[in-house]
Amino acid sequence: MPGAQQSRARVARRIATAAAYGGGGLGLLGVGLAGVLITESRLAVRAVGVLDGHPPKADGVYGDDFADPALDGEEPLVLAFLGDSTAAGLGVRRARETPGALLAAGLASVAERRVRLVNVAVSGARSHDLARQVRLAAAADPDVAVIMIGANDVTRHTPAAQAVRLVGEAVRDLRTLGCEVVVGTCPDLGTIKPVHPPLRWVARRVSRQLAAAQTIAVVEAGGRTVSLGSLLGPEFAARPEMFASDRFHPSAQGYATAAMAVLPTVCAALDLWPEAAVAEPGRREAVLPMAVAAATAAGSSGTEVASAADGAGGRRWALVKHRLRLGLPTPGEPAPEAPADAPPTGPAASASSHAEAGDARATWE
C-alpha cells in the first residue's frame, strides 16, 4: 500500500477509534501548523464568493413517467436527503438540478416506481446537526437516506473524532428504522480555487483523512459510503463550469456528476442494481481491511465501501467497489458511449436528461 494511503489508514482508524469511545478533541492538525495557516485561511474565506438566496425546494414525488403500471397501487419509495448545502443543492436555481431531485429521478427510472424525495439538509450544517435532521427524516419513514456532510466540519474546525462519532450515530439511528443509508463522504477541499498552497495541501490531507474516518464509522454502523473526494478533485479542478459562481459549491453539472456516482450505490442498497456474475470492464472490487478500504476510497472518486465478513481475530473487512461511471462530456464534445457489456448506467443518464426535459415531473407537496 502506498505511503500516503498507509498514513491515511492509520489516522482514520485512530480517529474512528476515538469517536467510538466518545473522544471529541482529536484533531487532524497540530496546534503549531494550524496557527501558521490561520492567516491563509482568512484570506481564502474572503476570496470565496457568497451565494445569495436559498437552495430550491425539490421535495415531491418523482417518476410518474417511469413507473410500471402494474405497480400503480404501491406507495412511492421514500428517499431522504440529509446534510449540508451540497445535499440541499445550493448553487443551482432550479429544483430539478439539485442532487436530491437528480437521484430521485434516477432511482425512479431504475426501480420503475415513483420516488418521494424528502430533503431536510440545511446550508451550513455540520455533523452535530444530523441528529435533528434524522428526527425530521424519520417522520417520512424513508426507505433509503443519502447523507452529504463534512466540508463545514473541516472549515469550522470541528474535532474530527466528534464529527465522525456523530455521523456514525446518525447512520445507526436510521438503520434502526429499517432505512438503508448511503453517505457521500467529505469532499476534497483542496480543489477550491481561492485556496492556495500550503493551505490547499493541508485542506486536501484533512479532507481525505476525515472522509476515510467517516467511512469506517458509517460502514461499521451498517451503512455504505461513496467517495466524493476526487469527484470534486481533478475533474472539477480542470473544469471551472463544475463550480457555482462562488467557486466553492458545485454547479448544475457538478451536482449531476456527483449524483451519477452515488446512484448505483443507492440502487444497490435497495437490491435494485444488477450485480453481474463476472467483473465488468471499468469496475474494480476487492475485500480489504476496513481502515485500508477507507483510505483507498478516500483517494478514488466514486468508490463504494460496504461491509464484508469479519476476519480472524474480529478484524473488520470491507468490500471496495469502483463502479463504471460515465463522465460528463467536455463542452462541445458528444457524451461518451457506454461499452456494450457495461453495467446499466443508462438510467442515470436517462433520468438526468428526462429531468432536464421536464419528463421526471415532481408532484410538489
Side-chain angles (χ1 to χ4, degrees):
M1 179 171 56
Q5 285 189 7
Q6 188 174 24
S7 174
R8 191 182 305 140
R10 185 171 58 251
V11 173
R13 172 50 72 188
R14 182 163 54 90
I15 294 169
T17 300
Y21 286 96
L26 186 60
L28 293 165
L29 291 176
V31 174
L33 180 57
V36 170
L37 296 171
I38 285 176
T39 300
E40 297 221 15
S41 297
R42 289 173 178 169
L43 291 174
V45 169
R46 291 174 186 171
V48 172
V50 177
L51 290 176
D52 296 326
H54 300 281
K57 191 70 172 174
D59 291 42
V61 177
Y62 291 77
D64 284 337
D65 296 329
F66 301 135
D68 184 342
L71 302 177
D72 277 348
E74 289 196 4
E75 290 294 317
L77 288 170
V78 179
L79 167 65
F81 243 74
L82 302 82
D84 55 22
S85 55
T86 302
L90 186 65
V92 298
R93 297 181 179 179
R94 291 172 286 195
R96 67 173 181 262
E97 296 173 335
T98 63
L102 290 166
L103 275 174
L107 178 57
S109 70
V110 174
E112 296 186 331
R113 183 174 169 185
R114 295 181 303 150
V115 173
R116 181 158 71 94
L117 172 66
V118 177
N119 196 325
V120 297
V122 178
S123 295
R126 285 181 277 175
S127 295
H128 67 72
D129 191 50
L130 286 177
R132 183 189 65 84
Q133 294 186 22
V134 167
R135 290 194 296 271
L136 293 173
D141 192 19
D143 296 288
V144 61
V146 173
I147 302 174
M148 294 181 177
I149 202 78
N152 294 320
D153 289 301
V154 172
T155 60
R156 299 182 187 180
H157 313 297
T158 302
Q162 176 185 326
V164 169
R165 175 175 54 81
L166 292 169
V167 170
E169 289 176 354
V171 173
R172 195 169 291 109
D173 290 344
L174 287 165
R175 293 293 293 132
T176 300
L177 301 173
C179 175
E180 300 293 338
V181 184
V182 175
V183 175
T185 53
C186 182
D188 182 354
L189 299 181
T191 63
I192 307 304
K193 288 295 184 181
V195 179
H196 301 288
L199 183 59
R200 175 177 296 171
W201 304 329
V202 174
R204 170 160 294 151
R205 193 189 84 184
V206 171
S207 301
R208 291 185 176 182
Q209 287 176 347
L210 180 58
Q214 286 177 323
T215 294
I216 294 173
V218 168
V219 174
E220 291 185 344
R224 304 178 185 219
T225 63
V226 177
S227 171
L228 298 182
S230 295
L231 284 176
L232 306 183
E235 185 172 348
F236 273 48
R239 298 181 60 187
E241 72 273 12
M242 292 291 191
F243 286 104
S245 60
D246 67 347
R247 298 183 295 170
F248 184 87
H249 292 90
S251 65
Q253 286 178 284
Y255 282 128
T257 298
M260 283 193 291
V262 174
L263 177 61
T265 301
V266 170
C267 293
L270 295 170
D271 292 325
L272 295 172
W273 198 261
E275 297 292 346
V278 296
E280 305 101 346
R283 193 183 86 174
R284 303 179 298 278
E285 62 181 65
V287 175
L288 301 171
M290 185 71 73
V292 177
T296 301
S300 182
S301 64
T303 302
E304 172 188 325
V305 181
S307 181
D310 290 346
R315 191 181 191 188
R316 293 298 301 272
W317 294 75
L319 176 63
V320 180
K321 292 185 179 183
H322 189 98
R323 297 181 184 273
L324 181 68
R325 180 176 64 88
L326 298 182
L328 293 178
T330 300
E333 295 183 3
E337 294 184 3
D341 54 354
T345 52
S350 174
S352 179
S353 63
H354 279 304
E356 284 296 322
D359 291 338
R361 289 183 287 271
T363 304
W364 309 115
E365 296 180 338

